Amino acid sequence: VVGTLDGEFMDGVKYQNYCGFKVHNGKMQLAAHNRDVWQEERARAVKARPRFQPMMEIDNPRAGRLPTRGAMSRIAPLAFAYIAAGNGQTAMELQMAGATTVNADGKEVPKPHGVLTWCFVQALEETNFDCTHADCVLAIRRLMAQIKESDLPRMDQELQFTF
């Protein structure tokens, strides 16, 4: 289970009682999504749509062949994750102004981008690809706030930075 910079677990993690302690079981709670985020008028104007995938739960993840490392609980974090939206939030994609691609007919057409992906690339370009994770997170959050203000006023998506 991943943690956040403020020392908390990710929202939506399922817990169970184990010998008097509350422990996570590696599963997530089913999230509800607010359809107004992508169905309101301004969102439709930029062809916004959700990027969430249907929920799938594995009955017993230990029965599969998952790689394990016994020392993982004793070492410092080695990997960081930039997650597009938290539990109950909807990761969005939309057509960004000026972002185009060439189709099979050779015509330039608008190209949709995920909000996190777009903001991540823009943040790296703004810092000349030389920044810390903390700087990148701040830049991404600022850019996501700009998109919310200009195009998706009901966007509930927030960056989740975990390790």
Side-chain angles (χ1 to χ4, degrees), residues 18-85:
Y18 182 74
C19 296
F21 295 102
K22 189 175 180 182
V23 296
H24 62 84
N25 65 6
K27 297 182 180 181
M28 298 292 290
Q29 296 175 8
L30 184 62
H33 295 274
N34 179 2
R35 292 179 183 273
D36 292 336
V37 172
W38 65 89
Q39 291 182 343
E40 59 113 9
E41 188 175 328
R42 286 175 63 186
R44 286 175 177 241
V46 292
K47 298 190 181 350
R49 63 183 182 180
R51 293 189 75 150
F52 61 83
Q53 296 294 318
M55 184 71 164
M56 181 175 75
E57 188 171 293
I58 300 170
D59 290 332
N60 185 0
R62 290 183 181 86
R65 294 184 178 191
L66 299 175
T68 59
R69 280 183 67 186
M72 286 301 279
S73 62
R74 299 186 304 264
I75 62 174
L78 298 174
F80 299 92
Y82 291 80
I83 302 168

Side-chain angles (χ1 to χ4, degrees), residues 117-132 134-147:
T117 306
W118 179 262
C119 293
F120 192 86
V121 171
Q122 297 301 313
L124 290 175
E125 286 178 353
E126 284 181 7
T127 62
N128 290 326
F129 304 93
D130 184 27
C131 61
T132 64
D135 294 337
C136 193
V137 165
L138 290 174
I140 290 170
R141 287 185 174 150
R142 180 180 49 76
L143 291 163
M144 288 175 84
Q146 288 174 357
I147 290 172

